[in-house]
Amino acid sequence: MNNAKLWLVVKPTVGIPLFLSAVAISSFLVHVGIVANTTWMADYHNGSASAE
């Protein structure tokens, strides 16, 4: 990869935790969006999901 010059601008002690935090936050937001916008998720968590 040709991204070695990135670490001349951003220190790895700042860049790596920032990148991992961004991945974790975006993953959390995707999961919240799925849970908030589905009609069957609440039934599934309550144990009353219908088997098809």
Side-chain angles (χ1 to χ4, degrees):
M1 289 176 44
N2 198 9
N3 295 331
K5 292 182 182 179
L6 172 73
W7 302 119
L8 296 175
V9 179
V10 179
K11 290 183 180 181
T13 56
V14 174
I16 292 172
L18 188 64
F19 173 74
L20 293 176
S21 297
V23 169
I25 291 170
S26 62
S27 174
F28 179 74
L29 291 175
V30 166
H31 284 85
V32 166
I34 290 171
V35 170
N37 292 317
T38 57
T39 57
W40 55 268
M41 188 63 77
D43 292 336
Y44 176 76
H45 284 291
N46 288 329
S48 61
S50 62
E52 293 183 16

